[in-house]
Every structure is written in C-alpha cells, then in structure tokens.
Amino acid sequence: MQPHASEIVDHNNNKQELVDLFLLFLDKESVLFSVEDMSAYECDGLSAYRRLPWIVVLPNTLDQVSKILKTCHAKGIPVVARGAGTGLSGGALPIDNGVLLSLAKFNRILEIDAENRMARVEPGVRNLAISQAVQAHGLYYAPDPSSQIACSIGGNVAENSGGVHCLKYGLTVHNILALKVFTINGEMLELGGAGLDAAGYDLMALMTGSEGLLGVIVEVTVKLLPIPEMAQVLMASFSSVESAGEAVAAIIGAGVIPAGLEMMDNPAIRAAEDFVRVGYPVDAAALVLCELDGSPDQVRDEVERVHDLFQRCGADKIRAAQDEAERQRLWAGRKAAFPAVGRIAPDYYCMDGTIPRKRLGEVLKRIAELAVQHKLAVANVFHAGDGNLHPLILYDANIPGDLERAEQFGGDILELCVSVGGTITGEHGVGVEKINQMCIQFSVAEIQQFHAVKHAFDPDGLLNPGKAIPTLQRCAEFGAMHVHQGQLAFPDLERF
Ligand SMILES: Cc1cc2nc3c(=O)[nH]c(=O)nc-3n(C[C@H](O)[C@H](O)[C@H](O)COP(=O)(O)OP(=O)(O)OC[C@H]3O[C@@H](n4cnc5c(N)ncnc54)[C@H](O)[C@@H]3O)c2cc1C
C-alpha cells in the first residue's frame, strides 16, 4: 500500500493538495507518488538522463484526462505526457514539480474500418498491435519503428516516428488521418478527417512531431495499407563503406523505391550477427539490405535491377532470401541492432541525424575520425535510403568522463549533419538531447516562430516545458546561435 504523500515526500503542501485533488476523480492505484512506485518512470529510452517524477497519474477515461489537465492548468503545474517510454531523446523525461501523465491504460483499438482502410485507436496501443489486429483483413499499418513491439501510437505521433518502411510509405504524418487532442486547459480538439484536404490550418500535421508540447493525443485514426502480395530482400556486402553508399544512391537514382533500404557498418554487423546468428558477412566493411515489395512481376523485375546495381557498385556477395522465414531472419538482425550493440559495450548512446544520401561516404569517414578524437568506438546503423544515420556511440558510464565524451561526440555528429546540409533529427525527436543543436539548425527568427506556435496552444508553457524548443537566451548562452564544443545538454541532470 502506498504511504500518504506527505509521509514520504517533502512535506510539500502543493504536492499533497494535488494528490488529494486527483483522488477526487482517480482511484488510488492511478495516482503514484512513492519513490518505489515511480522509479519505472524516471527515464525513457535515453536512460543516461533520469529524474524521479513528482506525481504520476494513470487515467483511463477521457474525462479523467481532461480533469487532470484542467487541474494542472488551474494550479500552474507542468505536465509531461508519456506513452511507452521508448523515446530516445528524453522527451518523456519527468519535470521537476511536474505531473507525468501516462497514457498506458488507453490501449484499445476502437474501430477497424477495413472497407475504408482505416482504424481508430487509443494512444497507448502498441504500433505492432495495430498491424496484428488488421492482418485478418489483409491490411497493415506501414510505419514500423524498430521499437514497434513496445512503442505506442501516441508516442509515434508525438515524435513523427519513422522506420524501415518509411522510405516508400512515409513517416507517421503521412499515415494518419485524424487526431483527438486535449489542450492544456482540458478542451478537446478534433483534427484532420477522412478527406485528403481540410479547411483551415493543418493542425494535425503541426501536432505530429510536437513532442508533447502542444497537446495530449487521446485518439489516432490511422491509414491502413493492403499487405503487399510479395516481398523479397536482397543482402549485399561491400569491402568499403563508400561503395555501399554508392549502391544506395544508385538504387534511388535508378528510380527504384525499395520498401526498405538499410545499411550497417562492420561493428554493427558483427554485433548483430553475434546476437541473432543470421549469417551476416562479419568481414564486410558494410552491408546493405534492400527490400522490394509489390506484385510478383514488379518484385522480380526490381530484384533483378537491384542485383545488377549491387554488382556494378562492387558488391562482394549478394544473397536473396529463399523464403519468408529467411527474409524475416535477415531483417531480425537489423531490427535487433540496437540491443545487439548494447551487448558489446556497457552503455551506448544512439544518435539520430539525417544527411543528403550523396554525402554518406564522407560523413562516415568524418565520424570515424571523430571516434578517434573522442577515444570512443562507434557502430553505425542507417535508414540509408532516406539518409537517416544512427551512430551508436559505445561508452562506459562507470568510467568518469565517458558519458560527457559520448555527449560531445554526439553533438559533433549532429553539427556535422547540419554542416553537410542535413538535419539534427531523422525520427527520434529533439527532447532534451538535442535542444542545444536546435540553436545550430535554426535561425533566431525560426525559433521565435516555434515559440509563437507553442504560445498559441499553451500560453503558460505547462506542456513538457524545457524540451524540444530552446529559449533564445539558451542559444545566446551557447554563443550566437552556435553551441560551444564541450557544453553539456541539461547539466543539472543526474547522469549514469
Ligand atoms: C530499440 C529502439 C529502437 C527504436 N527504433 C526507432 C525507429 O526505428 N524509428 C523511430 O522513429 N523511433 C525509434 N525508436 C524511438 C521510439 O521508439 C519512438 O520515438 C516512439 O515513437 C516513442 O513512442 P513511446 O510510446 O515510447 O513514446 P514516449 O517515449 O513515451 O514519448 C515520446 C514523446 O512523445 C510524447 N508523447 C507520448 N505520448 C503522447 C501523447 N499521447 N500525447 C502527447 N504527447 C505524447 C512524450 O511527451 C515524449 O515527448 C526506437 C527506440 C528504441 C528503444
């Protein structure tokens, strides 16, 4: 049984008062305030940054969500929405004296409309659960983050998540039709609709990727696609990362849009092979996985063309999956690359930036030089087709200074992405992790516009404050919209 809030915390009257207010409409299991009960919520997937929540609430009706927001709004208490907590940029990190609002209990699929290829789901439904639920209708939900077994659709919308299939089928924003969202004052907005266009500003697109700063998503209508008749994957190994990069560019340049076009460098290949034993070429400098889907004729034609392009770009070996089980196995290694890398180092720090595809070779070379400079190893995994890099920086949090060096290395990689015309985020959002690099990516005028949008939705700045959009003062402190080398993001946070 949970102790009374005042027995275990800071005898803070505000906290006790808030707990009592919540208990007027939530049962006591849905209001957590003891250290033991809340420790599971102290971080998201970016576990280097942790902070114990002040209070966690777990509503299960829309009325309760509305009342929680109204209460916090009236009292001026910050609110952080949380889905499954798999985010990799600290977006769901708790805020001091703020309420963590978990949407985990909203896990029902409300409607499947197979005829119109859409489903209405609650925000806590897992990404993969949507495809599983509509499979019997021959349909699926295309965006497939590698975390799809765990991450929630509400979190996907809030991060505008991507995945292997996004090269061909688009990001979350391209695969949703409508949202129901509560504003900070507890009022519901219904955004989007079944049509391709709607009157007024495109607030649904604005809400997508807003990282919990503009509203709390409580329902998502997703688009469903027919499961392709056939899918085939080709795996090609290369003796240099540059030639693998050229093969990626050649495939896109030839007008083939694969359902997935992924690349791994040697350290990532070895870690994945050691973990899942799929027969990846452990001596290769890089491997490319290319999936083609569609009608059997189309797939056969594209497989031939891609095979030819791989050969012309100097692939050492090319392997085609012989059956569905082998296709799944070849993907399993790529999808498990993050946990696989987690087995070869005590800790890893997953970066996420995007670059123009044609700069891949030179960027990888520079990342290798930075690894030497920072004295840390790195394994690289990419959604290569759309230029989205995921360098995984290996470090040991028990070695003093290692995490700070990993952060500096990560910051350098993001600056590198911007300097070659790319962006500081491909799909993992900004959260707390990349807030300084926002100052590099955007001008003062652009950041002012972000603040104006935030102000329009949340004038008191109560939704997920301190995340995603830096203050101009913060940017100024880092020096004329540019981050000083070595400056840590969120220096006040506990580091592990
Ligand atoms: C092993 C691993 C692999 C991953 N692979 C990918 C990948 O391939 N592609 C990709 O894009 N991401 C990937 N991710 C990152 C992560 O899974 C996604 O960002 C995902 O969308 C987060 O969903 P979540 O439910 O866990 O959200 P959380 O982590 O709980 O929250 C993420 C952000 O969304 C906000 N939020 C959550 N729910 C709501 C809501 N209902 N209303 C308003 N705001 C909300 C939070 O405040 C926070 O800012 C990976 C993560 C891991 C750990």
Side-chain angles (χ1 to χ4, degrees), residues 44-45 80-88 90-93 103 123-124 144-148 150-164 210-213 215-218 334-335 338-339 348 383 388 390 426-429 431 464 467:
D44 61 7
V80 179
R82 180 181 170 106
T86 67
L88 289 170
L93 184 78
L103 281 307
D144 56 344
S146 304
S147 53
Q148 66 179 158
C151 65
S152 75
I153 188 72
N156 290 177
V157 174
E159 295 286 6
N160 192 18
S161 287
V164 165
S210 63
E211 302 194 29
L213 271 76
V216 176
I217 298 151
V218 289
R334 164 61 188 90
K335 292 219 168 188
F338 290 8
Y348 72 86
H383 299 304
N388 184 194
H390 288 321
E427 53 183 18
H428 294 171
N464 221 358
K467 315 269 180 75

Tab-separated table of all heavy atoms in Angstrom, residues 44-45 80-88 90-93 103 123-124 144-148 150-164 210-213 215-218 334-335 338-339 348 383 388 390 426-429 431 464 467, ligand 1:
chain	number	residue	atom	x	y	z
A	44	ASP	N	13.228	7.691	-20.107
A	44	ASP	CA	12.709	6.950	-21.266
A	44	ASP	C	13.869	6.117	-21.813
A	44	ASP	O	14.745	5.704	-21.049
A	44	ASP	CB	12.092	7.916	-22.301
A	44	ASP	CG	13.082	8.925	-22.857
A	44	ASP	OD1	14.290	8.831	-22.557
A	44	ASP	OD2	12.661	9.816	-23.619
A	45	GLY	N	13.904	5.880	-23.137
A	45	GLY	CA	14.968	5.056	-23.715
A	45	GLY	C	16.340	5.718	-23.645
A	45	GLY	O	17.357	5.052	-23.832
A	80	VAL	N	3.876	16.299	-18.300
A	80	VAL	CA	4.625	15.565	-19.324
A	80	VAL	C	3.805	14.338	-19.700
A	80	VAL	O	3.535	13.482	-18.852
A	80	VAL	CB	6.006	15.110	-18.790
A	80	VAL	CG1	6.758	14.323	-19.860
A	80	VAL	CG2	6.830	16.303	-18.322
A	81	ALA	N	3.399	14.255	-20.986
A	81	ALA	CA	2.677	13.057	-21.446
A	81	ALA	C	3.697	11.945	-21.664
A	81	ALA	O	4.833	12.188	-22.065
A	81	ALA	CB	1.940	13.358	-22.744
A	82	ARG	N	3.264	10.707	-21.395
A	82	ARG	CA	4.157	9.562	-21.608
A	82	ARG	C	3.370	8.433	-22.262
A	82	ARG	O	2.277	8.093	-21.828
A	82	ARG	CB	4.733	9.102	-20.266
A	82	ARG	CG	5.679	7.905	-20.398
A	82	ARG	CD	6.186	7.486	-19.024
A	82	ARG	NE	6.889	6.230	-19.078
A	82	ARG	CZ	8.196	6.075	-18.995
A	82	ARG	NH1	8.969	7.133	-18.858
A	82	ARG	NH2	8.752	4.887	-19.044
A	83	GLY	N	3.973	7.870	-23.326
A	83	GLY	CA	3.406	6.686	-23.959
A	83	GLY	C	4.053	5.457	-23.347
A	83	GLY	O	3.850	5.147	-22.175
A	84	ALA	N	4.881	4.773	-24.155
A	84	ALA	CA	5.541	3.566	-23.655
A	84	ALA	C	6.933	3.850	-23.098
A	84	ALA	O	7.595	2.937	-22.592
A	84	ALA	CB	5.644	2.539	-24.778
A	85	GLY	N	7.395	5.092	-23.217
A	85	GLY	CA	8.710	5.449	-22.667
A	85	GLY	C	9.877	4.859	-23.438
A	85	GLY	O	10.949	4.665	-22.871
A	86	THR	N	9.703	4.616	-24.761
A	86	THR	CA	10.824	4.100	-25.560
A	86	THR	C	11.564	5.215	-26.300
A	86	THR	O	12.500	4.940	-27.040
A	86	THR	CB	10.356	3.075	-26.612
A	86	THR	OG1	9.550	3.752	-27.582
A	86	THR	CG2	9.557	1.934	-25.995
A	87	GLY	N	11.124	6.451	-26.129
A	87	GLY	CA	11.746	7.577	-26.833
A	87	GLY	C	13.244	7.629	-26.546
A	87	GLY	O	13.696	7.243	-25.469
A	88	LEU	N	14.001	8.130	-27.529
A	88	LEU	CA	15.461	8.106	-27.383
A	88	LEU	C	16.055	9.502	-27.238
A	88	LEU	O	17.269	9.662	-27.318
A	88	LEU	CB	16.095	7.384	-28.588
A	88	LEU	CG	15.855	5.863	-28.609
A	88	LEU	CD1	16.284	5.264	-29.945
A	88	LEU	CD2	16.600	5.182	-27.464
A	90	GLY	N	14.791	11.727	-24.647
A	90	GLY	CA	14.432	12.277	-23.328
A	90	GLY	C	13.134	13.059	-23.342
A	90	GLY	O	12.878	13.836	-22.417
A	91	GLY	N	12.278	12.866	-24.357
A	91	GLY	CA	11.024	13.624	-24.447
A	91	GLY	C	10.095	13.359	-23.278
A	91	GLY	O	9.387	14.249	-22.828
A	92	ALA	N	10.090	12.124	-22.773
A	92	ALA	CA	9.180	11.783	-21.666
A	92	ALA	C	9.884	11.865	-20.309
A	92	ALA	O	9.348	11.391	-19.300
A	92	ALA	CB	8.599	10.380	-21.887
A	93	LEU	N	11.069	12.469	-20.300
A	93	LEU	CA	11.771	12.657	-19.020
A	93	LEU	C	10.919	13.526	-18.099
A	93	LEU	O	10.413	14.570	-18.520
A	93	LEU	CB	13.110	13.358	-19.301
A	93	LEU	CG	14.032	13.556	-18.112
A	93	LEU	CD1	14.752	12.245	-17.782
A	93	LEU	CD2	15.064	14.641	-18.414
A	103	LEU	N	-0.301	7.525	-20.670
A	103	LEU	CA	-1.455	7.145	-21.500
A	103	LEU	C	-1.514	5.624	-21.655
A	103	LEU	O	-2.233	5.110	-22.515
A	103	LEU	CB	-1.343	7.811	-22.878
A	103	LEU	CG	-1.748	9.301	-23.034
A	103	LEU	CD1	-3.162	9.526	-22.488
A	103	LEU	CD2	-0.776	10.252	-22.401
A	123	PRO	N	-4.310	6.102	-27.786
A	123	PRO	CA	-2.886	6.445	-27.956
A	123	PRO	C	-1.917	5.417	-27.367
A	123	PRO	O	-0.772	5.335	-27.796
A	123	PRO	CB	-2.753	7.780	-27.213
A	123	PRO	CG	-3.883	7.786	-26.232
A	123	PRO	CD	-5.000	7.052	-26.900
A	124	GLY	N	-2.378	4.624	-26.392
A	124	GLY	CA	-1.457	3.670	-25.756
A	124	GLY	C	-1.332	2.349	-26.507
A	124	GLY	O	-0.577	1.460	-26.087
A	144	ASP	N	7.012	1.532	-39.212
A	144	ASP	CA	7.447	0.414	-38.365
A	144	ASP	C	8.759	0.709	-37.643
A	144	ASP	O	9.813	0.171	-37.991
A	144	ASP	CB	7.602	-0.859	-39.213
A	144	ASP	CG	8.565	-0.662	-40.376
A	144	ASP	OD1	8.866	0.504	-40.705
A	144	ASP	OD2	9.022	-1.668	-40.932
A	145	PRO	N	8.713	1.585	-36.620
A	145	PRO	CA	9.943	1.801	-35.848
A	145	PRO	C	10.483	0.466	-35.335
A	145	PRO	O	9.695	-0.460	-35.085
A	145	PRO	CB	9.497	2.681	-34.674
A	145	PRO	CG	8.075	3.016	-34.884
A	145	PRO	CD	7.550	2.278	-36.051
A	146	SER	N	11.802	0.372	-35.182
A	146	SER	CA	12.373	-0.898	-34.696
A	146	SER	C	11.837	-1.245	-33.312
A	146	SER	O	11.891	-2.384	-32.890
A	146	SER	CB	13.895	-0.809	-34.640
A	146	SER	OG	14.377	-0.459	-35.900
A	147	SER	N	11.324	-0.241	-32.608
A	147	SER	CA	10.751	-0.449	-31.282
A	147	SER	C	9.278	-0.815	-31.355
A	147	SER	O	8.568	-0.750	-30.353
A	147	SER	CB	10.887	0.852	-30.484
A	147	SER	OG	10.332	1.921	-31.234
A	148	GLN	N	8.773	-1.209	-32.536
A	148	GLN	CA	7.325	-1.320	-32.748
A	148	GLN	C	6.637	-2.322	-31.832
A	148	GLN	O	5.444	-2.238	-31.602
A	148	GLN	CB	7.010	-1.648	-34.212
A	148	GLN	CG	7.485	-2.996	-34.663
A	148	GLN	CD	7.137	-3.284	-36.121
A	148	GLN	OE1	7.748	-4.099	-36.731
A	148	GLN	NE2	6.169	-2.616	-36.701
A	150	ALA	N	6.974	-2.399	-28.751
A	150	ALA	CA	6.723	-1.739	-27.460
A	150	ALA	C	6.160	-0.332	-27.581
A	150	ALA	O	5.329	0.080	-26.759
A	150	ALA	CB	8.023	-1.684	-26.658
A	151	CYS	N	6.580	0.439	-28.586
A	151	CYS	CA	6.229	1.868	-28.580
A	151	CYS	C	4.744	2.079	-28.884
A	151	CYS	O	4.114	1.257	-29.542
A	151	CYS	CB	7.102	2.648	-29.559
A	151	CYS	SG	6.871	2.198	-31.278
A	152	SER	N	4.199	3.184	-28.395
A	152	SER	CA	2.760	3.436	-28.558
A	152	SER	C	2.504	4.335	-29.761
A	152	SER	O	3.365	5.135	-30.155
A	152	SER	CB	2.208	4.098	-27.288
A	152	SER	OG	2.615	5.460	-27.238
A	153	ILE	N	1.302	4.227	-30.308
A	153	ILE	CA	0.955	5.058	-31.472
A	153	ILE	C	0.895	6.545	-31.066
A	153	ILE	O	1.265	7.423	-31.847
A	153	ILE	CB	-0.360	4.583	-32.134
A	153	ILE	CG1	-0.603	5.311	-33.454
A	153	ILE	CG2	-1.538	4.715	-31.215
A	153	ILE	CD1	0.292	4.925	-34.577
A	154	GLY	N	0.509	6.827	-29.825
A	154	GLY	CA	0.510	8.227	-29.364
A	154	GLY	C	1.926	8.784	-29.376
A	154	GLY	O	2.172	9.907	-29.823
A	155	GLY	N	2.872	7.981	-28.893
A	155	GLY	CA	4.294	8.381	-28.922
A	155	GLY	C	4.784	8.518	-30.347
A	155	GLY	O	5.539	9.445	-30.671
A	156	ASN	N	4.335	7.620	-31.230
A	156	ASN	CA	4.733	7.702	-32.650
A	156	ASN	C	4.280	9.031	-33.263
A	156	ASN	O	5.020	9.664	-34.004
A	156	ASN	CB	4.101	6.569	-33.476
A	156	ASN	CG	4.646	5.182	-33.180
A	156	ASN	OD1	4.169	4.206	-33.745
A	156	ASN	ND2	5.627	5.065	-32.304
A	157	VAL	N	3.029	9.420	-32.945
A	157	VAL	CA	2.531	10.688	-33.497
A	157	VAL	C	3.328	11.849	-32.896
A	157	VAL	O	3.782	12.746	-33.609
A	157	VAL	CB	1.014	10.858	-33.220
A	157	VAL	CG1	0.537	12.242	-33.665
A	157	VAL	CG2	0.216	9.766	-33.927
A	158	ALA	N	3.528	11.802	-31.582
A	158	ALA	CA	4.229	12.905	-30.916
A	158	ALA	C	5.666	13.042	-31.421
A	158	ALA	O	6.239	14.130	-31.382
A	158	ALA	CB	4.216	12.697	-29.402
A	159	GLU	N	6.266	11.948	-31.887
A	159	GLU	CA	7.647	12.003	-32.390
A	159	GLU	C	7.708	11.997	-33.919
A	159	GLU	O	8.792	12.028	-34.487
A	159	GLU	CB	8.449	10.795	-31.877
A	159	GLU	CG	8.656	10.755	-30.371
A	159	GLU	CD	9.693	11.776	-29.893
A	159	GLU	OE1	10.168	12.577	-30.714
A	159	GLU	OE2	9.984	11.779	-28.683
A	160	ASN	N	6.563	11.876	-34.587
A	160	ASN	CA	6.531	11.654	-36.043
A	160	ASN	C	7.513	10.542	-36.417
A	160	ASN	O	8.416	10.717	-37.253
A	160	ASN	CB	6.843	12.937	-36.823
A	160	ASN	CG	6.535	12.794	-38.305
A	160	ASN	OD1	5.790	11.892	-38.710
A	160	ASN	ND2	7.117	13.654	-39.123
A	161	SER	N	7.303	9.388	-35.827
A	161	SER	CA	8.279	8.299	-35.947
A	161	SER	C	8.354	7.735	-37.354
A	161	SER	O	7.390	7.764	-38.114
A	161	SER	CB	7.901	7.179	-34.977
A	161	SER	OG	8.189	7.607	-33.684
A	162	GLY	N	9.522	7.184	-37.617
A	162	GLY	CA	9.774	6.518	-38.896
A	162	GLY	C	10.114	5.064	-38.662
A	162	GLY	O	9.835	4.501	-37.614
A	163	GLY	N	10.731	4.471	-39.657
A	163	GLY	CA	11.117	3.062	-39.578
A	163	GLY	C	11.566	2.603	-40.941
A	163	GLY	O	11.614	3.397	-41.891
A	164	VAL	N	11.838	1.324	-41.042
A	164	VAL	CA	12.368	0.762	-42.282
A	164	VAL	C	11.452	1.078	-43.476
A	164	VAL	O	11.909	1.426	-44.563
A	164	VAL	CB	12.531	-0.768	-42.103
A	164	VAL	CG1	12.719	-1.455	-43.435
A	164	VAL	CG2	13.699	-1.062	-41.167
A	210	SER	N	5.177	17.065	-32.374
A	210	SER	CA	5.275	18.209	-31.447
A	210	SER	C	5.754	17.788	-30.059
A	210	SER	O	5.837	18.611	-29.150
A	210	SER	CB	3.933	18.944	-31.362
A	210	SER	OG	2.944	18.080	-30.836
A	211	GLU	N	6.078	16.516	-29.873
A	211	GLU	CA	6.778	16.027	-28.681
A	211	GLU	C	6.076	16.382	-27.367
A	211	GLU	O	6.718	16.694	-26.365
A	211	GLU	CB	8.232	16.518	-28.670
A	211	GLU	CG	9.006	16.088	-29.918
A	211	GLU	CD	10.505	16.262	-29.801
A	211	GLU	OE1	11.033	16.190	-28.674
A	211	GLU	OE2	11.159	16.461	-30.843
A	212	GLY	N	4.758	16.364	-27.391
A	212	GLY	CA	4.008	16.604	-26.151
A	212	GLY	C	4.020	18.054	-25.713
A	212	GLY	O	3.629	18.357	-24.587
A	213	LEU	N	4.426	18.997	-26.589
A	213	LEU	CA	4.493	20.409	-26.203
A	213	LEU	C	3.221	21.184	-26.528
A	213	LEU	O	3.040	22.305	-26.051
A	213	LEU	CB	5.670	21.109	-26.905
A	213	LEU	CG	7.012	21.078	-26.164
A	213	LEU	CD1	7.671	19.730	-26.272
A	213	LEU	CD2	7.947	22.153	-26.675
A	215	GLY	N	-0.179	19.525	-27.032
A	215	GLY	CA	-1.428	18.923	-26.573
A	215	GLY	C	-1.205	17.462	-26.220
A	215	GLY	O	-0.122	16.920	-26.456
A	216	VAL	N	-2.238	16.849	-25.657
A	216	VAL	CA	-2.154	15.434	-25.282
A	216	VAL	C	-3.047	14.643	-26.239
A	216	VAL	O	-4.267	14.850	-26.285
A	216	VAL	CB	-2.590	15.225	-23.813
A	216	VAL	CG1	-2.599	13.734	-23.474
A	216	VAL	CG2	-1.648	15.977	-22.876
A	217	ILE	N	-2.426	13.761	-27.009
A	217	ILE	CA	-3.136	12.988	-28.036
A	217	ILE	C	-3.908	11.871	-27.345
A	217	ILE	O	-3.314	11.064	-26.603
A	217	ILE	CB	-2.123	12.400	-29.038
A	217	ILE	CG1	-1.369	13.533	-29.740
A	217	ILE	CG2	-2.814	11.490	-30.054
A	217	ILE	CD1	0.023	13.171	-30.168
A	218	VAL	N	-5.225	11.815	-27.609
A	218	VAL	CA	-6.028	10.783	-26.942
A	218	VAL	C	-6.711	9.833	-27.923
A	218	VAL	O	-7.331	8.864	-27.509
A	218	VAL	CB	-7.059	11.398	-25.968
A	218	VAL	CG1	-6.364	11.976	-24.756
A	218	VAL	CG2	-7.915	12.433	-26.666
A	334	ARG	N	18.905	-6.659	-38.371
A	334	ARG	CA	18.887	-5.193	-38.455
A	334	ARG	C	17.990	-4.606	-37.360
A	334	ARG	O	18.331	-3.636	-36.706
A	334	ARG	CB	18.408	-4.762	-39.853
A	334	ARG	CG	17.992	-3.308	-39.959
A	334	ARG	CD	19.125	-2.342	-39.647
A	334	ARG	NE	18.653	-0.958	-39.578
A	334	ARG	CZ	18.224	-0.367	-38.464
A	334	ARG	NH1	18.219	-1.027	-37.320
A	334	ARG	NH2	17.838	0.894	-38.492
A	335	LYS	N	16.816	-5.225	-37.172
A	335	LYS	CA	15.875	-4.671	-36.184
A	335	LYS	C	16.413	-4.802	-34.770
A	335	LYS	O	16.051	-4.035	-33.882
A	335	LYS	CB	14.511	-5.335	-36.319
A	335	LYS	CG	13.824	-4.966	-37.630
A	335	LYS	CD	12.332	-4.756	-37.478
A	335	LYS	CE	11.774	-4.106	-38.743
A	335	LYS	NZ	10.398	-3.691	-38.637
A	338	PHE	N	20.203	-2.367	-32.205
A	338	PHE	CA	20.457	-1.560	-31.005
A	338	PHE	C	20.741	-2.466	-29.800
A	338	PHE	O	21.780	-2.317	-29.155
A	338	PHE	CB	19.291	-0.616	-30.694
A	338	PHE	CG	19.099	0.525	-31.664
A	338	PHE	CD1	19.825	0.609	-32.840
A	338	PHE	CD2	18.175	1.524	-31.396
A	338	PHE	CE1	19.630	1.654	-33.736
A	338	PHE	CE2	17.977	2.577	-32.279
A	338	PHE	CZ	18.694	2.637	-33.447
A	339	PRO	N	19.820	-3.388	-29.469
A	339	PRO	CA	20.144	-4.269	-28.333
A	339	PRO	C	21.405	-5.088	-28.569
A	339	PRO	O	22.148	-5.372	-27.618
A	339	PRO	CB	18.921	-5.179	-28.201
A	339	PRO	CG	18.046	-4.900	-29.362
A	339	PRO	CD	18.453	-3.594	-29.946
A	348	TYR	N	25.492	2.456	-24.540
A	348	TYR	CA	25.632	3.101	-25.850
A	348	TYR	C	24.691	4.282	-25.932
A	348	TYR	O	23.676	4.330	-25.240
A	348	TYR	CB	25.412	2.112	-27.004
A	348	TYR	CG	23.979	1.672	-27.203
A	348	TYR	CD1	23.095	2.419	-27.986
A	348	TYR	CD2	23.496	0.516	-26.620
A	348	TYR	CE1	21.783	2.022	-28.170
A	348	TYR	CE2	22.180	0.106	-26.807
A	348	TYR	CZ	21.332	0.865	-27.581
A	348	TYR	OH	20.030	0.481	-27.750
A	383	HIS	N	19.072	4.132	-41.741
A	383	HIS	CA	17.989	4.019	-42.714
A	383	HIS	C	18.582	4.707	-43.955
A	383	HIS	O	18.354	5.904	-44.196
A	383	HIS	CB	16.738	4.753	-42.246
A	383	HIS	CG	16.176	4.225	-40.940
A	383	HIS	ND1	15.839	2.909	-40.763
A	383	HIS	CD2	15.882	4.859	-39.774
A	383	HIS	CE1	15.356	2.750	-39.530
A	383	HIS	NE2	15.390	3.912	-38.909
A	388	ASN	N	19.099	8.699	-43.115
A	388	ASN	CA	18.976	8.830	-41.653
A	388	ASN	C	20.035	7.952	-40.958
A	388	ASN	O	20.000	6.735	-41.060
A	388	ASN	CB	17.555	8.414	-41.251
A	388	ASN	CG	17.251	8.579	-39.780
A	388	ASN	OD1	16.248	8.047	-39.310
A	388	ASN	ND2	18.066	9.297	-39.030
A	390	HIS	N	22.135	6.458	-37.704
A	390	HIS	CA	22.061	6.161	-36.267
A	390	HIS	C	23.429	5.695	-35.773
A	390	HIS	O	23.639	4.508	-35.543
A	390	HIS	CB	21.035	5.058	-35.981
A	390	HIS	CG	19.618	5.489	-36.151
A	390	HIS	ND1	19.146	6.725	-35.772
A	390	HIS	CD2	18.554	4.839	-36.658
A	390	HIS	CE1	17.867	6.817	-36.051
A	390	HIS	NE2	17.480	5.694	-36.590
A	426	GLY	N	16.342	12.643	-37.414
A	426	GLY	CA	15.714	11.920	-38.505
A	426	GLY	C	14.347	11.448	-38.077
A	426	GLY	O	13.369	11.562	-38.807
A	427	GLU	N	14.272	10.952	-36.832
A	427	GLU	CA	12.999	10.370	-36.381
A	427	GLU	C	12.872	10.297	-34.865
A	427	GLU	O	11.795	10.012	-34.373
A	427	GLU	CB	12.837	8.968	-36.975
A	427	GLU	CG	14.039	8.062	-36.689
A	427	GLU	CD	13.951	6.684	-37.318
A	427	GLU	OE1	13.151	6.512	-38.240
A	427	GLU	OE2	14.684	5.787	-36.866
A	428	HIS	N	13.949	10.555	-34.125
A	428	HIS	CA	13.872	10.383	-32.668
A	428	HIS	C	13.486	11.647	-31.918
A	428	HIS	O	13.412	11.638	-30.700
A	428	HIS	CB	15.211	9.876	-32.115
A	428	HIS	CG	15.561	8.495	-32.581
A	428	HIS	ND1	16.783	7.922	-32.365
A	428	HIS	CD2	14.838	7.583	-33.259
A	428	HIS	CE1	16.807	6.701	-32.898
A	428	HIS	NE2	15.635	6.478	-33.452
A	429	GLY	N	13.286	12.737	-32.618
A	429	GLY	CA	12.892	13.971	-31.952
A	429	GLY	C	14.060	14.687	-31.292
A	429	GLY	O	15.204	14.218	-31.312
A	431	GLY	N	13.664	16.423	-27.914
A	431	GLY	CA	13.602	16.155	-26.475
A	431	GLY	C	14.536	17.059	-25.697
A	431	GLY	O	14.579	18.279	-25.892
A	464	ASN	N	5.196	19.894	-21.225
A	464	ASN	CA	6.562	19.435	-21.481
A	464	ASN	C	7.573	20.585	-21.588
A	464	ASN	O	8.351	20.654	-22.552
A	464	ASN	CB	6.597	18.573	-22.754
A	464	ASN	CG	7.502	17.368	-22.570
A	464	ASN	OD1	8.128	17.188	-21.515
A	464	ASN	ND2	7.613	16.545	-23.592
A	467	LYS	N	11.708	21.262	-23.187
A	467	LYS	CA	12.077	20.257	-24.188
A	467	LYS	C	11.929	20.857	-25.600
A	467	LYS	O	11.144	21.769	-25.810
A	467	LYS	CB	11.151	19.036	-24.096
A	467	LYS	CG	10.868	18.502	-22.705
A	467	LYS	CD	11.851	17.428	-22.295
A	467	LYS	CE	11.551	16.894	-20.899
A	467	LYS	NZ	10.403	15.996	-20.837
B	1	LIG	C1	15.399	-0.154	-29.514
B	1	LIG	C2	14.711	1.084	-30.035
B	1	LIG	C3	14.551	1.228	-31.403
B	1	LIG	C4	13.913	2.363	-31.913
B	1	LIG	N1	13.728	2.477	-33.261
B	1	LIG	C5	13.073	3.544	-33.758
B	1	LIG	C6	12.858	3.652	-35.168
B	1	LIG	O1	13.219	2.784	-35.969
B	1	LIG	N2	12.204	4.758	-35.609
B	1	LIG	C7	11.755	5.736	-34.758
B	1	LIG	O2	11.174	6.711	-35.215
B	1	LIG	N3	11.963	5.649	-33.426
B	1	LIG	C8	12.598	4.585	-32.908
B	1	LIG	N4	12.803	4.497	-31.552
B	1	LIG	C9	12.369	5.622	-30.678
B	1	LIG	C10	10.956	5.481	-30.057
B	1	LIG	O3	10.539	4.138	-30.000
B	1	LIG	C11	9.937	6.325	-30.821
B	1	LIG	O4	10.263	7.696	-30.684
B	1	LIG	C12	8.494	6.122	-30.356
B	1	LIG	O5	7.599	6.801	-31.199
B	1	LIG	C13	8.244	6.579	-28.926
B	1	LIG	O6	6.962	6.093	-28.535
B	1	LIG	P1	6.614	5.926	-26.993
B	1	LIG	O7	5.213	5.480	-26.901
B	1	LIG	O8	7.605	5.061	-26.334
B	1	LIG	O9	6.731	7.440	-26.518
B	1	LIG	P2	7.412	8.039	-25.201
B	1	LIG	O10	8.854	7.719	-25.174
B	1	LIG	O11	6.606	7.697	-24.020
B	1	LIG	O12	7.237	9.599	-25.511
B	1	LIG	C14	7.899	10.201	-26.586
B	1	LIG	C15	7.462	11.671	-26.697
B	1	LIG	O13	6.102	11.718	-27.073
B	1	LIG	C16	5.326	12.412	-26.101
B	1	LIG	N5	4.071	11.679	-26.002
B	1	LIG	C17	3.911	10.336	-25.799
B	1	LIG	N6	2.613	10.034	-25.838
B	1	LIG	C18	1.939	11.186	-26.064
B	1	LIG	C19	0.566	11.521	-26.193
B	1	LIG	N7	-0.391	10.595	-26.138
B	1	LIG	N8	0.231	12.826	-26.404
B	1	LIG	C20	1.179	13.777	-26.489
B	1	LIG	N9	2.494	13.512	-26.370
B	1	LIG	C21	2.862	12.240	-26.167
B	1	LIG	C22	6.161	12.409	-24.836
B	1	LIG	O14	5.881	13.553	-24.031
B	1	LIG	C23	7.567	12.443	-25.400
B	1	LIG	O15	7.921	13.775	-25.717
B	1	LIG	C24	13.442	3.372	-31.021
B	1	LIG	C25	13.607	3.204	-29.640
B	1	LIG	C26	14.229	2.088	-29.151
B	1	LIG	C27	14.370	1.949	-27.662
